[in-house]
Amino acid sequence: MTLMTKKTISEMAKSATPLLAVPFAAAALVSCGEKQQPKQPNILFIMTDDHTTQAMSCYGGRLIETPNMDRLAREGMRFDNCYATNALSGPSRACILTGKFSHENGFTDNASRFNGDQQTFPKLLQQAGYETAMIGKWHLISDPQGFDFWSVLSGQEEQGDYYNPGFWEMGKEITETGYVTDVITSKALSWLESHQKAKDSRPFCLMFHHKAPHRNWMPAPEHLGQFNDTVFPEPDNLFDDYSDRCPAAAEQDMSLAKTFTEDWDLKLMTREEMLKNPDNRLAKVYSRMPEDVQHKWDSVYAGRIAEYRSGRLKGRELLRWKYQQYMRDYLATVLSVDESIGKVLDALEKTGELDNTIVVYTSDQGFFLGEHGWFDKRFMYEECQRMPLLVRYPKAIKAGTVSDALCMNVDFAPTFLDYAGVEVPSDIQGTSLRPVIENDGEAPADWREAVYYHYYEYPAEHSVKRHYGIRTKDFKLIHFYNDIDCWELYDETKDPQEIHNVYDVPEYSETRKYMLSLIDSVQTAYGDVDPCEHEKVLFKGDRRYVGRTE
C-alpha cells in the first residue's frame, strides 16, 4: 500500500478548480470559429430527506421500483461511493451549500443555526448571472440567502408537515392545501414555468428539496395502504447483537425493538383515540388531513391496530412485524417522490431545456431500513453514510455510466461552480467531480484515497455517540470519542454489513497502522486536527489514547 502524504491530500483538498480556464464545455458545444459563448447549463438539484440507496431499484434495491430515479441512472451517471460527511439533515445541507465540512461552516448539529452571511454556491451562481430558487425543505433555521425566490417548509421545527404544510415564503407565513410532496412539486413547476414565460436568458439553479421520506413516513392519499399486503425481505442483520462492536452500537436509542413508538411511528391510534387526545403528536398531523383522507387512513390502519392489539406478537415476531409496518409506510412515502421527479423531467423536456440542465438527485444522507435492527441515520456505518447520487447531463455524461470514485457531499458545490464556469474559491474544501464525470466515471490518478466523516450530536436524540473516521474503497476506520474511547475497523470487501470489528485482529495490524496514518493526514488537510474539541489525541505505537487537556 502506498501512503498518501499530508501534502498530497492537502493539494487534493485545494484542487477544486480543474479546467476553469475554459468556459463550460466550450470545446464540445461551440463549433470551430463560433464567437458566441455557449449557454451555461441550468442546474436542477433535487434532494430528499432520509432516502437511502436500499430503497432505489437503480441501486439494486429489492424493496421498491423507482422508475423515474431509474431513468436518471439510465440516462446519466450513478455514483456508487458518494458519502455524507455528517449524516444528519441540517449539517449535511450546510456542507452541500458551502462545500465545507461542519467544523468550517459552523453547523455541526441540528441545534445549530446556519450563518447565512457566509459564502455559498447559490450566492456565487447568482453573482455570476444565474436565477436562483430554493423550494421545499431548508432546515437551517436562518432565512435562505442567495436566492431570487425561496419558499421553505415551516412548522415542526422546520421539518414541515405532510398534509396542508406551512411555508415561510419570501418572509411571509403561508399554508398550502394538499400533500407536501405534491405541493413542493407544484411550486417547483410553477417557478420553472414563470422562468420560461419571462423568456429570461439567464440560466437557472433550482434547489428542489422534499420533506419525504422523513419520519414519520406519511404516504400520499393515493398511496395509503399500497403495500399492506406486501411482505418485504428482511435485512440479514435485523437481529444484530452488536457483540463485536464498540459499546456505541449497543447504547444507541434508534432501534425498531425499543425506540419505535406505537403512535408516532407505528400509527396505532384509532380515530376516536386521536380525537380524545388532540395534543398527541400523531393526532395533530392527522387533524391536518382532509376528512376524506382521514377516513381512508382509518381504513388502512385498522387492520394493523387490530393485529397489534391481539396480543399474539411477541419477541422476534414482534420485531419482524414492526419492520414490515415500517417498510410499508416508508416505501409508500417514496413513491410520490419518484412520481415528482418524473413530472419535473417531463416539464423540462417539453420546454426543450432538459438536455441543457444538469439534473442531480440525492438525499441528505442514507438511512437504516432495519439493518442492525435500526431506523434513522447518524452512524458512520454504510447504510446511512452512503448517499444516493444520480447525475443526468447528456452533454458531458454517457448514458448508463456507473462511477465508483470516492466522493462527498462537499463536492457538490465546486462541481456546480465548475460547470457554470465560475471560479471555485480556494477555501472550498470539496473537489469538483467534473474530471470524474467527463472521464466516464473513472477517478483521475491523483484522486482522493479516502472520504472523511465527523458526527457531533451527542448527547441528544437517539444517543449516537460522537465519532469521526475515514473510508477508503476497501476499509473503514471509526473512532468513537467524548465519553468513550473506542476504535472500529472494517474490511468492506469481506464484511460489507460491518458486523466484525477487526481493529485488534493481528492479521490487520499493518492495515490499522496505515489507516491511522491516513486519518491523521486527512484531518490535517481539512483542518479538523483536534476533533475531540477539549480533548487531545496522544500517540503510543500504532494505537491512540485520548486524554483531557488541562
Side-chain angles (χ1 to χ4, degrees), residues 322-349:
K322 287 181 177 181
Y323 167 76
Q324 293 298 330
Q325 312 320 311
Y326 172 33
M327 288 300 93
R328 288 165 183 169
D329 291 342
Y330 178 96
L331 296 171
T333 307
V334 171
L335 292 175
S336 57
V337 172
D338 188 73
E339 292 167 355
S340 166
I341 293 170
K343 291 175 184 177
V344 176
L345 292 179
D346 289 346
L348 287 174
E349 199 161 29

Side-chain angles (χ1 to χ4, degrees), residues 26 53 56 158 162 177 277 295 341 345 419 422 437 440 510 533 549:
T53 56
M56 298 173 68
E158 295 198 339
Y162 272 108
T177 300
N277 298 278
H295 289 312
I341 293 170
L345 292 179
Y419 271 109
V422 178
I437 289 172
D440 292 337
E510 290 302 313
E533 300 172 309
T549 55

Side-chain angles (χ1 to χ4, degrees), residues 262-482:
E262 293 184 8
D263 52 0
W264 186 244
D265 296 315
L266 288 168
K267 307 170 181 70
L268 301 176
M269 290 185 76
T270 65
R271 177 183 179 86
E272 292 73 21
E273 289 166 342
M274 285 191 277
L275 292 175
K276 288 179 181 178
N277 298 278
D279 292 332
N280 176 276
R281 194 177 182 187
L282 181 64
K284 287 181 178 180
V285 296
Y286 176 86
S287 70
R288 302 182 74 92
M289 299 177 187
E291 190 171 358
D292 61 326
V293 177
Q294 288 181 345
H295 289 312
K296 184 173 183 181
W297 177 281
D298 299 340
S299 174
V300 163
Y301 289 100
R304 178 184 297 188
I305 294 169
E307 188 175 11
Y308 181 77
R309 294 180 180 177
S310 70
R312 294 191 297 268
L313 298 166
K314 305 288 183 183
R316 287 197 165 204
E317 287 310 307
L318 176 58
L319 177 54
R320 286 194 165 102
W321 182 85
K322 287 181 177 181
Y323 167 76
Q324 293 298 330
Q325 312 320 311
Y326 172 33
M327 288 300 93
R328 288 165 183 169
D329 291 342
Y330 178 96
L331 296 171
T333 307
V334 171
L335 292 175
S336 57
V337 172
D338 188 73
E339 292 167 355
S340 166
I341 293 170
K343 291 175 184 177
V344 176
L345 292 179
D346 289 346
L348 287 174
E349 199 161 29
K350 287 178 182 177
T351 62
E353 287 294 328
L354 180 59
D355 286 353
N356 193 49
T357 301
I358 299 172
V359 180
V360 174
Y361 178 78
T362 189
S363 183
D364 46 4
Q365 72 277 308
F367 211 66
F368 291 111
L369 298 186
E371 297 88 4
H372 307 287
W374 296 335
F375 67 101
D376 209 71
K377 56 262 187 176
R378 302 167 195 267
F379 275 111
M380 195 185 162
Y381 300 130
E382 199 73 359
E383 292 84 1
C384 63
Q385 185 194 9
R386 188 168 82 140
M387 309 165 64
L389 179 60
L390 307 173
V391 184
R392 183 193 188 278
Y393 188 55
K395 293 180 179 179
I397 297 173
K398 184 165 63 178
T401 307
V402 177
S403 175
D404 68 351
L406 289 168
C407 58
M408 297 179 280
N409 55 0
V410 291
D411 297 335
F412 298 173
T415 302
F416 294 146
L417 295 172
D418 190 357
Y419 271 109
V422 178
E423 183 175 358
V424 180
S426 61
D427 60 346
I428 280 183
Q429 295 177 298
T431 302
S432 172
L433 297 173
R434 183 172 174 177
V436 174
I437 289 172
E438 298 186 359
N439 192 34
D440 292 337
E442 292 292 324
D446 61 348
W447 196 248
R448 64 169 61 96
E449 187 174 0
V451 294
Y452 185 58
Y453 185 88
H454 195 163
Y455 174 81
Y456 303 81
E457 192 174 276
Y458 178 86
E461 185 179 8
H462 295 306
S463 297
V464 173
K465 296 185 182 295
R466 300 182 192 188
H467 59 288
Y468 59 86
I470 54 170
R471 193 209 196 281
T472 65
K473 283 191 177 178
D474 296 328
F475 296 97
K476 181 178 291 186
L477 178 69
I478 307 173
H479 181 213
F480 293 96
Y481 71 96
N482 182 247

Side-chain angles (χ1 to χ4, degrees), residues 23 45 71 104 139 142 167 173 190 211 231-232 306 346 416 428 455 517 524 528 548:
F45 182 53
R71 176 186 173 185
E104 290 289 341
H139 201 203
S142 58
F167 285 81
E173 282 283 0
S190 295
K211 169 186 173 65
V231 177
F232 293 99
D346 289 346
F416 294 146
I428 280 183
Y455 174 81
S517 296
T524 299
D528 198 17
R548 292 283 178 184

Side-chain angles (χ1 to χ4, degrees), residues 97 110 200-201 530:
L97 280 169
N110 278 341
D200 197 324
S201 60
D530 188 13

Side-chain angles (χ1 to χ4, degrees), residues 177-283:
T177 300
Y179 180 69
V180 67
T181 303
D182 297 336
V183 172
I184 292 172
T185 304
S186 178
K187 283 178 175 286
L189 291 172
S190 295
W191 186 85
L192 287 170
E193 184 180 6
S194 67
H195 177 83
Q196 182 73 15
K197 283 184 176 179
K199 296 183 178 178
D200 197 324
S201 60
R202 292 179 295 170
F204 68 77
C205 174
L206 171 59
M207 297 182 72
F208 172 33
H209 294 182
H210 287 292
K211 169 186 173 65
H214 191 276
R215 189 182 185 192
N216 69 337
W217 318 293
M218 300 180 75
E222 62 271 25
H223 298 309
L224 279 169
Q226 182 154 339
F227 295 123
N228 271 14
D229 297 323
T230 303
V231 177
F232 293 99
E234 296 174 359
D236 295 337
N237 53 4
L238 178 63
F239 297 100
D240 194 345
D241 63 4
Y242 321 121
S243 59
D244 199 12
R245 246 72 53 81
C246 290
E251 294 175 13
Q252 46 64 40
D253 184 25
M254 47 188 273
S255 71
L256 293 172
K258 297 179 180 179
T259 314
F260 230 48
T261 59
E262 293 184 8
D263 52 0
W264 186 244
D265 296 315
L266 288 168
K267 307 170 181 70
L268 301 176
M269 290 185 76
T270 65
R271 177 183 179 86
E272 292 73 21
E273 289 166 342
M274 285 191 277
L275 292 175
K276 288 179 181 178
N277 298 278
D279 292 332
N280 176 276
R281 194 177 182 187
L282 181 64

